[in-house]
Every structure is written in structure tokens, then in C-alpha cells.
Amino acid sequence: MTRVFSGIQPTGHLTLGNYLGAMRRWAEADQYRADSLFCVVDLHALTVEHDPARVLRLSRQTATLLLAAGLDPEVCTVFLQSHVDEHTRLSYLLECVATDGEMRRMIQYKEKAAKERERGGSVRLSLLTYPVLMAADILAYGTDEVPVGEDQAQHVELTRDLAVRFNQRYGHTFVVPRATLPPVGARVMNLQEPTRKMGKSDGSGAGVVYLLDEPDVVRKKVLRAVTDSGREVVYDRAERPGIANLLDILAACTDGNPESLADVYDSYGSLKKDTAEAVVEVLRPLQARHRELCADPAYVEGVLRDGAEKARALARPTVDTAYSAIGLLPPVAEPSLSAAK
């Protein structure tokens, strides 16, 4: 059976973009068609300046929202990255295969490092080696497919390169994974800056719909969305990015087609109103389930504990094989009591 791995960082409150672009597909399709693992990649949140208490809080919230979105722990594996030591064990081995030049060519490293320097901060080494840890996340599980957005496709290509290089140098150890990109239109843009992705780490939330926003807050944000010059409702991402974003969101929420929906509307106002109501309705069951799960924290903790145990059992044989292949002695087992006698 095809194995799928995907992860999400607890670096901010999850957004409508996270849900429509990834989480809904994980819940409705990926967990049923494949042996799927979904991970809160909390170690990645440490690569930049962070508040430890906030990371703890967001890690729990992110895991709870994954379950609220429909991930079923009886069908798939849901866990926290830091609960499975094999991720960091394998990451170091892959650092011994990767090169400095490869790391510095990563687009996200260049962008995030530039932002850190602009703020007068120092760039952490972990930010540079972040893609290697991501490769370890994927390769530890014999992953076949990695559902990612366009911004992460370069990291999956690096993962493929490292897997091939390791296999060639030390013997076949890793499955070489492939990236699977979301359908066209699944990328949700910022409502105030429609040429930029709706990100959970955005400084201002005016253009971001968060999964736990109250219905009135959702309506206000969508109704205040930036539109384009002119009055005609046309689906054109290049020339009319604001209207195209609203049509993409409405289409994703109603299983419609953005080009066809454009023909239905003769004003921006009616489009905004219908889009706002569609978003509210899509989020309603997720928010209700989230409230139920928050009232039963022991259940969420049990899911994460069992998920980590299952993930560990899947990853350990591959990582142990990699340790042996690269030339490391296995630990010497302690003699049993019967043998000692």
C-alpha cells in the first residue's frame, strides 16, 4: 500500500489556507487511499526565535485541529515529531550526506534568513539544516508520496537527492519519494494581499481567516477583502488577483469551478457575501468538533501517545539499517539475567 507522510508546523494558528490546501484533502482522501502518517513537526518550529510556551500551546492546538478536521486515528497515524527520536537520529546521518551548497540554495532559507537579518537577529544553524530534518521526517517511514504546496516542492527534491545519494554510497536503504502537488485552485491567498499566500505566521491577521475565528469575524474579514479595479467579475489570477482569490475560495468551499462561478456574479459585493457564508459553513463542523476535543484532553493525549508508538515502530528498522549501512556499530545489548547466572 502506498505510504503518505505530511507534516504541519505549530508556528501559528492554522488558517483557511491550511485547511483547503491540505488538511481537508488529508481527511477526505489521503488517509483512506494510503497508509498515511500526519505529523505536527514541532522541532521545525525551533529554527527561528520562538516563545516556548506558545510552541507548546500551538502544538496541542494543531494536533487537536487535525483531528477536528477529520483525521481518524483508527485509519491513519497522528503524532508529534519530537515524540519519535528516529527523526533526529536520521537527520544527523543525512547531514553527513548533504552539502553546505545544497542547504544555502534553498529558497526558504534565503528568505527566512534575510528576514532575521533585517530584524537584527542572528540566523540559527538549525534554519540552514531544516531541509535535512524534513528529509529525515520523510525517509524514516519509507514514504512514497509527500503532499506539499509549491513552496515545499524544492525540499522534497532535496529529499530525493539525499535518498539516491545515500543508496548509491552505502547500499539501498531508502524509498525515493515523490511530491504530490494540490489541485489547481487549492492555494488560498491573503485577503489583503492577494498576491501572497495566506500564512499562519503573518504579522497582521486582517487578511487571514483562522480556523477558530468566530463566524462574525470571518464575515468581516471576507467582506473587507481587497478587490481589483473595474467592476466586472472575471477569473484572472494575473490581472484580477483579488477577485480570483475570492472565486478560488468559494469554489473550494462549494466544490465548484472558479471560472464558472465568475459568470454567476455581476458585483463584487454579492461575491464577497456568498464567499463569506460559504467559509462560515465549511468551518462550522470543524469548530464544533474542536470544542468537543478540547473538552476531552485525555483523548487527544492518548491519540498522540499511540500515534508516536506506531510511528516509532515503523521508523526504527529503517533508521537502524541506515546506521549500519553508513558504518556505525549497533549498541551492545546488556546480558540477560539468565545468561549472567
Side-chain angles (χ1 to χ4, degrees):
M1 192 175 186
T2 300
R3 180 162 291 163
V4 168
F5 176 94
S6 199
I8 192 162
Q9 291 191 46
T11 50
H13 297 288
L14 297 186
T15 72
L16 180 67
N18 296 128
Y19 179 67
L20 296 179
M23 293 164 62
R24 185 171 66 170
R25 187 177 71 254
W26 297 350
E28 294 180 353
D30 289 339
Q31 68 172 332
Y32 296 109
R33 71 174 182 82
D35 179 11
S36 299
L37 299 101
F38 300 106
C39 181
V40 179
V41 286
D42 49 348
L43 294 175
H44 290 302
L46 310 185
T47 60
V48 294
E49 190 67 32
H50 64 277
D51 174 8
R54 187 169 188 265
V55 172
L56 280 169
R57 185 172 64 253
L58 289 176
S59 295
R60 176 180 289 276
Q61 184 185 90
T62 300
T64 304
L65 282 169
L66 289 177
L67 298 175
L71 292 186
D72 184 349
E74 297 297 322
V75 176
C76 65
T77 305
V78 181
F79 65 105
L80 262 64
Q81 178 190 33
S82 62
H83 292 179
V84 181
D85 292 345
E86 277 63 32
H87 291 253
T88 49
R89 288 181 63 209
L90 182 55
S91 182
Y92 180 72
L93 295 195
L94 296 178
E95 284 185 13
C96 297
V97 176
T99 68
D100 177 76
E102 285 176 317
M103 297 299 98
R104 296 185 188 280
R105 284 195 295 272
M106 294 291 108
I107 294 171
Q108 284 208 344
Y109 169 72
K110 292 179 180 179
E111 292 176 347
K112 290 183 178 181
K115 288 180 180 177
E116 285 294 318
R117 294 188 183 101
E118 285 174 8
R119 288 197 292 261
S122 56
V123 179
R124 300 185 180 196
L125 179 61
S126 56
L127 183 62
L128 180 65
T129 58
Y130 157 92
V132 178
L133 178 57
M134 180 175 170
D137 298 338
I138 296 165
L139 297 179
Y141 297 101
T143 303
D144 300 295
E145 295 181 7
V146 189
V148 292
E150 294 175 1
D151 57 334
Q152 292 290 334
Q154 186 186 34
H155 290 165
V156 180
E157 283 304 309
L158 174 70
T159 300
R160 290 172 55 84
D161 291 343
L162 295 180
V164 169
R165 191 178 305 156
F166 192 102
N167 289 347
Q168 289 175 340
R169 290 180 181 177
Y170 306 115
H172 185 77
T173 305
F174 299 118
V175 173
V176 180
R178 61 185 178 277
T180 55
L181 299 176
V184 174
R187 192 175 192 190
V188 178
M189 312 305 281
N190 189 293
L191 294 172
Q192 293 298 315
E193 300 178 62
T195 58
R196 188 162 64 88
K197 188 177 74 169
M198 184 181 286
K200 59 182 179 290
S201 301
D202 285 357
S204 171
V208 180
V209 174
Y210 297 105
L211 296 186
L212 298 179
D213 277 346
E214 293 291 334
D216 285 347
V217 173
V218 172
R219 292 186 183 99
K220 185 180 295 184
K221 288 180 177 180
V222 177
L223 292 175
R224 292 179 176 176
V226 168
T227 50
D228 313 295
S229 59
R231 301 174 61 86
E232 189 179 3
V233 178
V234 177
Y235 184 74
D236 186 332
R237 283 187 172 184
E239 299 298 326
R240 303 280 186 87
I243 292 300
N245 188 35
L246 290 171
L247 289 166
D248 278 334
I249 293 171
L250 180 59
C253 290
T254 61
D255 296 322
N257 178 280
E259 290 92 343
S260 300
L261 286 170
D263 297 333
V264 175
Y265 295 94
D266 56 12
S267 73
Y268 292 172
S270 57
L271 171 60
K272 285 184 174 182
K273 181 178 178 181
D274 284 358
T275 302
E277 293 306 319
V279 173
V280 167
E281 289 307 310
V282 159
L283 296 183
R284 193 183 303 281
L286 180 147
Q287 292 179 352
R289 179 59 177 152
H290 179 263
R291 287 192 292 270
E292 293 174 359
L293 291 168
C294 286
D296 189 6
Y299 171 76
V300 177
E301 290 170 3
V303 167
L304 296 178
R305 182 181 61 249
D306 294 345
E309 184 177 341
K310 182 179 176 183
R312 199 176 300 118
L314 288 172
R316 183 163 293 168
T318 298
V319 177
D320 285 349
T321 297
Y323 266 60
S324 176
I326 207 169
L328 299 175
L329 281 171
V332 178
E334 296 241 355
S336 64
L337 290 177
S338 58
K341 291 178 181 178

